[in-house]
Amino acid sequence: MTDDGRPLARRIASFREWVEEWLHGLYHGMVEHPSFEKIEKEAEDVEDTFLFACFADAFGIPSPVSYYTVELLPYLAEEFEAWERRMWDRGSWLERKGQQYHVH
């Protein structure tokens, strides 16, 4: 028995659990989360590029592809609205990539 009344083995197990949780949090904060964030942004950029190629006329750029891809609009309506907002809010593609790689 130790000072707080718990057996030494239980105190060691408790300390190991705390260290494991702390290390997992450190790993998540330093490695996992930034990686997930970059992957999500890259996937969003690919989706934006696809939608822009299909619906460039939404921004006043004439495109013959839009005539054929307009049939996709009912299936992409929710994504289209969010994409259109993102594209209007974004300063430029270069600005987005600069933020992604911490270039100021």
Side-chain angles (χ1 to χ4, degrees):
M1 293 286 187
T2 57
D3 296 338
D4 66 354
R6 293 187 301 168
L8 183 59
R10 180 64 197 134
R11 287 186 68 202
I12 291 172
S14 175
F15 179 73
R16 288 186 70 202
E17 288 173 12
W18 177 82
V19 168
E20 185 178 318
E21 183 179 333
W22 186 84
L23 288 174
H24 176 72
L26 180 68
Y27 178 77
H28 177 74
M30 293 180 69
V31 178
E32 284 181 349
H33 181 69
S35 298
F36 289 149
E37 194 173 276
K38 285 184 181 178
I39 291 168
E40 287 171 352
K41 283 186 178 183
E42 190 63 35
E44 193 175 83
D45 287 345
V46 169
E47 180 182 3
D48 290 349
T49 304
F50 169 74
L51 287 171
F52 187 74
C54 292
F55 304 107
D57 58 339
F59 293 95
I61 301 170
S63 172
V65 175
S66 299
Y67 177 76
Y68 299 104
T69 59
V70 75
E71 295 174 4
L72 297 174
L73 204 48
Y75 303 105
L76 301 172
E78 290 180 25
E79 294 171 22
F80 182 80
E81 291 173 14
W83 166 73
E84 200 170 24
R85 276 194 304 275
R86 271 197 318 268
M87 293 301 282
W88 283 116
D89 290 344
R90 186 182 297 177
S92 70
W93 181 81
L94 191 59
E95 178 184 321
R96 168 73 175 230
K97 287 297 180 184
Q99 289 173 350
Q100 189 173 344
Y101 296 107
H102 306 292
V103 177
H104 300 284

